[in-house]
């Protein structure tokens, strides 16, 4: 699936970048082939990884990101996965190489862990490998490659395996394994998927507590519960370095988890039968990646055979779990209303539970193949035929639905083998071939002990051909290629920010060219979103709107230190800004791109006299005062409380701020103050930032609703703002201690084995 990597190609949708106006002058070649939605890869995920790599290479661990959104917490946004062990490849390799290698690593981990879980539950080795292949190459895993959603969810098999190990082998090493399994989804960075993993784990624990497997009879329920609780506490401690900054960040957000997410339309259940991952929506009207779920046709046919497996206890669990997940995702049955009243679960996108459904199908298919391979159905020859016939009838009806609703897409279908493999017709062909293989197996035309191997090969062929070509590839040198517009913006040495209006370029693109922006695509804090709202910025639209920028009477754009605005002729945003020559001046043109200078921009740091302090308490009144047309930030500063007056001193001549320099975790400047003043710095106020004036700690104020302020006495002052989050330091200390405990628990088992081995040899 990823063979172009051998030719130094990188799985990256470069055309998502170059489709924007700044690349009109450099865009060459035929139009790129269509593909599913991959915007997050270019606006968030690849930039995060490159920033991590660049920071580590420069000797700095990136806790803060000064390039986006007036500065933003980098560690606090858990999706960056700074402490996720597989992301260590970005510390050792260039970003393109690490990006490519991480895809292979995810695939191997997903398949290996699913296979280990299937084998632990009683699958034969070949059948377990089939289950691993099914999970590693299923539609959801393929579609969410490179995203933290997969990094989080691929550990679900290990979490379930850890619980199984706790019950079967109740000892310290099992606690350490379970704790690591629970901590890894949190460190991987997607909190919503981590919540899903935790919910499934709790259900599996409760199920195993009530219905123990026969070989776990020696372990009492009380001991099992204590060990599970110990593993949970240790897992929280291991992930504390990410949990504490993450909770601190979540408290700053606009949206909580009390607003229920709606279900997916029931027709999107066709995702389990549609092999098409080429577009969003695809030919079956399924949105990719969000609703992708194809796990293979043979998987759906052999999964019911799991009922014949000797480990029927766990088969029941995965069947019930699958039924519950489908009800929650598609909004039907008695479980869906219950999910709407379950804390946390109600307020997260439960469509991502489809990965749990795919894992259930993979495990059930592995157990079903094992049941037939080991002849456990002897004496019940009608049962396999009945189960397989029922599954085939349901799948045939689903494929017929996919074919009937994809008729327009078929008539306009693109030529080529790859397009055919993705077409709805291929679903019918795959189902027919799977049915023939299953019938041959049930009719014993294929020996039982070879059937699992045939099934393994068929599943691999089915899933790999369905996912083949999902990712476009590009040479590493063409990722964010040079653009004349950004070359022009880089020339201004004065500290400033830039912004795109009406999608002249993609969100966060400035970051990749070393430019700072007032906007960007990530999870937005509540205050920042409300601060920029008059300019058209929204949670679902991380850009500025030309009409609002031109007509807004507020000074928000100026306070944000936005000196240059990129507009374009495609949507005539350039004409809107040009209609305000008193405010915006055209300074650059390149084919369809126009860059305007904001003539009223405020410097990155400036002084406001104490006489201009306006105390406004309460978030709403602060925001209202900030957006008043007559608010002049040069003369007035909004503060939630009046600071104590600084000590009197000799005034400095030529008041102002100069020498502004910025690093990842610090800002430095020199302020010449002629009268008691508030130094206003155009940077987002956030917990963890400290002010140091002339080498001494000073109170850090929140100024103008969301910016930073420092009270200064008359005189010349060296001012530094440094980011030292207590949440990170406390979390790191807790995680370090927990890691030592986990390593000690793991080593104790090795010592026990060594001691027993020595005793046996002595005898």
């Amino acid at each position: 699936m990823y063979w172009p990597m051998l030719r130094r190609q990188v799985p990256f949708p470069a055309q998502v970048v170059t489709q924007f106006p700044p690349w009109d002058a450099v865009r060459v070649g035929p139009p790129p082939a269509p593909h599913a939605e991959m915007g997050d890869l270019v606006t968030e995920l690849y930039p995060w990884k490159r920033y991590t790599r660049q920071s580590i290479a420069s000797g700095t661990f990136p806790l803060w990101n000064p390039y986006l959104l007036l500065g933003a917490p980098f560690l606090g946004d858990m999706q960056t996965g700074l402490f996720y062990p597989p992301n260590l490849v970005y510390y050792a390799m260039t970003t393109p190489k690490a990006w490519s290698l991480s895809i292979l690593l995810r695939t191997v981990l997903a398949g290996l862990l699913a296979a280990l879980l299937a084998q632990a539950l009683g699958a034969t080795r070949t059948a377990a490998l089939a289950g691993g292949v099914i999970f590693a190459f299923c539609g959801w895993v393929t579609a969410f490659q490179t995203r933290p959603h997969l990094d989080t969810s691929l550990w679900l098999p290990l979490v379930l395996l850890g619980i199984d190990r706790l019950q079967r082998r109740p000892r310290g090493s099992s606690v350490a394994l379970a704790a690591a399994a629970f901590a890894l989804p949190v460190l991987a960075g997607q909190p919503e998927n981590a919540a899903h993993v935790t919910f499934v784990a709790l259900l599996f624990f409760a199920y195993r507590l009530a219905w123990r497997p026969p070989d776990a009879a020696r372990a009492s329920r009380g001991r099992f519960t204590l060990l599970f609780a110990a593993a949970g506490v240790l897992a929280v401690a291991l992930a504390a370095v990410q949990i504490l900054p993450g909770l601190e960040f979540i408290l700053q957000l606009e949206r909580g988890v009390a607003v229920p997410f709606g279900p997916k339309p029931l027709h999107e259940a066709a995702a389990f039968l549609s092999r098409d991952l080429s577009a969003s929506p695809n030919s079956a009207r399924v949105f990719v990646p969000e609703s992708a779920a194809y796990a293979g046709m043979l998987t759906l046919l052999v999964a019911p055979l799991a009922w014949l497996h000797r480990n029927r206890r766990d088969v029941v669990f995965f069947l019930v779990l699958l039924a519950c997940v489908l009800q929650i995702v598609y909004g039907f049955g008695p479980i869906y209303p219950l999910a709407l009243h379950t804390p946390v679960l109600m307020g997260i996108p439960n469509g991502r539970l489809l990965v749990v459904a795919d894992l259930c199908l993979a495990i059930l298919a592995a157990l079903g193949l094992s049941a037939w391979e080991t002849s456990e159905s002897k004496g019940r020859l009608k049962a396999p035929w009945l189960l397989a016939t029922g599954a085939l009838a349901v799948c045939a009806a689903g494929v017929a639905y996919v074919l009937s609703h994809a008729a327009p897409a078929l008539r306009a279908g693109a030529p080529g083998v790859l397009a055919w493999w993705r077409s709805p017709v291929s679903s019918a062909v795959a189902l027919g071939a799977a049915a023939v293989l299953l019938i041959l197996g049930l009719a014993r035309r294929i020996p039982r002990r070879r059937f699992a191997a045939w099934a393994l090969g068929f599943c691999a062929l089915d899933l790999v051909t369905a996912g083949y070509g999902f990712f476009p590839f590009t040479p590493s040198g063409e990722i964010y290629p040079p653009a004349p517009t950004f070359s022009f913006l880089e020339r201004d040495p004065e500290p400033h920010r830039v912004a795109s209006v009406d999608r002249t370029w993609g969100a966060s693109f400035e970051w990749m060219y070393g430019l700072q922006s007032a906007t960007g695509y990530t999870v937005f804090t509540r205050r920042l979103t409300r601060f920029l709202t008059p300019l058209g910025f929204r949670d679902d639209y991380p850009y500025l709107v030309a009409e609002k920028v031109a007509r807004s009477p507020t000074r928000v754009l100026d306070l944000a230190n936005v000196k240059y605005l990129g507009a374009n002729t495609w949507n005539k945003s350039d004409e809107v800004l040009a209609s305000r020559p008193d405010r915006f001046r055209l300074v650059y043109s390149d084919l369809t791109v126009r860059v305007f200078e904001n003539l009223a921009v405020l410097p990155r740091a400036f002084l406001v006299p104490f006489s201009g302090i306006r105390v406004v308490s309460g978030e709403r009144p602060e925001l209202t005062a900030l957006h008043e047309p007559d608010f002049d930030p040069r003369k007035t500063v909004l503060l939630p409380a009046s600071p104590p007056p600084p000590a009197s001193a000799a005034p400095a001549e030529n008041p102002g701020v100069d020498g502004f320099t910025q690093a990842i975790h610090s800002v430095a400047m020199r302020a010449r103050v002629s009268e008691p003043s508030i130094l206003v710095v155009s940077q987002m106020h956030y917990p963890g930032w400290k002010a140091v004036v002339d080498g001494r700690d000073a109170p850090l104020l929140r100024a103008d609703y969301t910016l930073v302020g420092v009270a200064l006495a008359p005189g010349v002052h060296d001012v530094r703002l440094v980011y030292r989050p207590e949440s990170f330091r406390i979390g790191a200390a807790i995680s370090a201690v927990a890691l030592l405990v986990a390593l000690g628990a793991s080593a104790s088992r090795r010592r026990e084995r060594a001691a027993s081995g020595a005793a046996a040899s002595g005898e």
Side-chain angles (χ1 to χ4, degrees), residues 633-648:
R634 277 291 200 178
K635 299 178 180 179
T636 304
V637 58
L638 305 176
L639 298 177
S642 182
S648 59

Side-chain angles (χ1 to χ4, degrees), residues 1-4 107 136-137 142 277 463-471 473:
M1 290 180 67
Y2 303 112
W3 66 269
T107 304
F137 295 99
T142 300
L277 297 177
L463 292 168
V464 169
T465 54
Y468 179 79
F470 172 76
F471 263 110
F473 284 81

Side-chain angles (χ1 to χ4, degrees), residues 407-422:
L410 283 175
R411 287 194 293 269
V417 175
L418 183 60
W420 185 88
W421 276 113
R422 293 170 169 173

Side-chain angles (χ1 to χ4, degrees), residues 606-615 633-639 641-648 673-680 699 701 703 709-714 717:
F606 57 92
L607 297 168
V608 179
F610 255 51
S611 58
I613 293 176
R614 179 180 171 186
V615 177
R634 277 291 200 178
K635 299 178 180 179
T636 304
V637 58
L638 305 176
L639 298 177
S642 182
S648 59
V673 186
S674 60
E675 60 179 307
S677 301
I678 300 295
L679 172 67
V680 179
L701 310 174
V710 182
L712 298 177
H717 303 284

Side-chain angles (χ1 to χ4, degrees), residues 70 496-499 517-518 544 556-565 597-598 601-602:
L70 313 184
H496 66 279
R497 294 191 177 96
V498 302
S517 176
L544 305 186
V556 168
L557 187 72
D558 312 325
L559 274 171
N561 188 230
V562 176
K563 186 175 182 179
Y564 297 108
L565 293 165
E597 181 182 358
N598 175 17
V601 64
L602 292 168

